[in-house]
Amino acid sequence: MATTQECRSALDRLSDNLAKADGDVKGAAALDRSLSCHIKDLDITFSGRLDDGRINVMDTFQGPPREKAQIRLAMTGDDLVAMVNGQLNFAKAWASGRVRLEAGFRDLLRLRTLL
């Protein structure tokens, strides 16, 4: 099972990957939205912002998200680490229910290029 620190490091690597992206991926990630990522098996939530292609984690706390972020993710720590390492395809994980992504319709349309 992935640790809290491994999950935080995975989010940092994901942020770095988004910041280096170009083309459609860069455009999709260039949102300014509140973001939460609930790690179900650890029962922790990382909250922050997706801002100009970077994920800025501002807080980590026990339990589910305290506020409804504009973009909400939920998954296990192992799935987060596997996705960032390229071992798990996000679209397949999302379609199978291993990863939950909730956002407004317009944001989902923009984010689909990241999938």
Side-chain angles (χ1 to χ4, degrees), residues 3 8 17 23 42 47 60 65 67 76 88 92 103 105-106:
T3 66
R8 175 59 196 254
N17 293 343
L42 298 174
S47 68
T60 304
E67 297 178 10
T76 67
L88 177 65
K92 289 180 183 178
F105 184 71
R106 294 175 113 181

Side-chain angles (χ1 to χ4, degrees), residues 52-68:
D52 197 27
R54 296 221 42 111
I55 297 170
N56 299 307
V57 175
M58 297 176 205
D59 198 9
T60 304
F61 52 87
Q62 285 297 127
R66 296 177 181 164
E67 297 178 10
K68 185 176 178 181

Side-chain angles (χ1 to χ4, degrees), residues 3-104:
T3 66
T4 300
Q5 184 57 43
E6 289 170 325
C7 293
R8 175 59 196 254
S9 294
L11 287 172
D12 289 342
R13 284 192 316 275
L14 178 59
S15 179
D16 291 343
N17 293 343
L18 290 174
K20 294 175 191 172
D22 56 8
D24 291 340
V25 173
K26 184 176 184 108
L31 297 170
D32 181 15
R33 300 285 188 272
S34 59
L35 175 76
S36 68
C37 181
H38 183 232
I39 307 300
K40 298 184 294 186
D41 54 334
L42 298 174
D43 196 27
I44 60 167
T45 298
F46 297 98
S47 68
R49 293 200 70 79
L50 176 62
D51 184 22
D52 197 27
R54 296 221 42 111
I55 297 170
N56 299 307
V57 175
M58 297 176 205
D59 198 9
T60 304
F61 52 87
Q62 285 297 127
R66 296 177 181 164
E67 297 178 10
K68 185 176 178 181
Q70 292 166 306
I71 299 172
R72 300 168 301 282
L73 291 161
M75 67 196 78
T76 67
D78 288 342
D79 285 345
L80 173 62
V81 171
M83 279 190 303
V84 173
N85 290 338
Q87 300 162 333
L88 177 65
N89 179 279
F90 183 88
K92 289 180 183 178
W94 183 42
S96 70
R98 287 175 68 175
V99 173
R100 194 176 75 213
L101 168 65
E102 297 177 13

